Amino acid sequence: MHCAPKHFPRKSGFTIVELVIVMAVFSILLVLGVPRFGEMVANSKVRTAAESVQSGMRVAQVEAMKRSNSTEFLLTTADPTPGNASAALASSARNWMARVRPDAVRGIRNPEFLRGSEANNAQAATLTSQAGSFSVVFMPNGQVMRGDATDLTALGAPMVVRITAAGATRPMCVFASPAGSVKTCDPQLATGDPRACQPAITAGACPGP
């Protein structure tokens, strides 16, 4: 009598070769994906900073009308806190501040702090005033001017703050026009797109990456 050979069912799972192939594919995807993920994070950081800058400008604008006194938005290397309300202007920094400008007629002898960006944020985006070390000054009548420590100058073109970050591929700009319009724009978008910088500001005022 002959016994039929027994067949044992194959156990489920991966072989060593299959595991090696899966690990190799995963490693390739990881290498390709990490730079892209870093770029996305950096671009997100830029967008967040642009929203913050625009918010700061609008706070200064609203407070100028409420108080019937000029206010200003500025970049500063100092911590943007009430204790540093008299901080010096900077042409490039990670911090911004909105404050009330001194007015001897109204009895305001020193700048008054309104709002500021997050202090001591080493990972923050870099903000650059395209006009140099000047502030964006909002007048009670809605007009926007360029300011320094003591003087005001009428604008011939919008005041622009450019925002970028390490690893970002899409810088953005926030600008205030002489008539009082405050807007965020993307320099890489074509004219005609409502989010584009041109023609409101020139390509040189808000360059791409």
Side-chain angles (χ1 to χ4, degrees), residues 49-94:
E51 292 172 359
S52 175
V53 168
Q54 179 174 302
S55 175
M57 285 191 184
R58 287 184 171 163
V59 165
Q61 186 176 40
V62 169
E63 289 296 325
M65 292 184 284
K66 285 173 58 178
R67 297 166 181 258
S68 296
N69 194 92
S70 62
T71 62
E72 63 184 347
F73 173 94
L74 63 141
L75 306 184
T76 179
T77 56
D79 291 345
T81 61
N84 288 329
S86 298
L89 306 174
S91 59
S92 183
R94 296 185 185 276

Side-chain angles (χ1 to χ4, degrees), residues 131-195:
S133 297
F134 294 97
S135 64
V136 183
V137 178
F138 295 92
M139 306 302 291
N141 63 1
Q143 184 183 7
V144 179
M145 303 186 76
R146 186 176 72 177
D148 58 23
T150 57
D151 298 321
L152 297 177
T153 305
L155 292 184
M159 292 282 287
V160 181
V161 175
R162 184 175 183 266
I163 302 103
T164 188
T169 58
R170 297 196 74 88
M172 301 190 77
C173 286
V174 180
F175 65 89
S177 71
S181 174
V182 175
K183 181 182 177 183
T184 298
C185 66
D186 186 333
Q188 297 187 66
L189 296 178
T191 300
D193 190 306
R195 299 165 297 168

Side-chain angles (χ1 to χ4, degrees), residues 95-113:
N95 300 326
W96 61 261
M97 183 189 300
R99 67 189 180 190
V100 179
R101 284 177 66 89
D103 188 326
V105 175
R106 296 181 179 277
I108 304 175
R109 297 183 178 181
N110 300 301
E112 295 181 4
F113 179 84

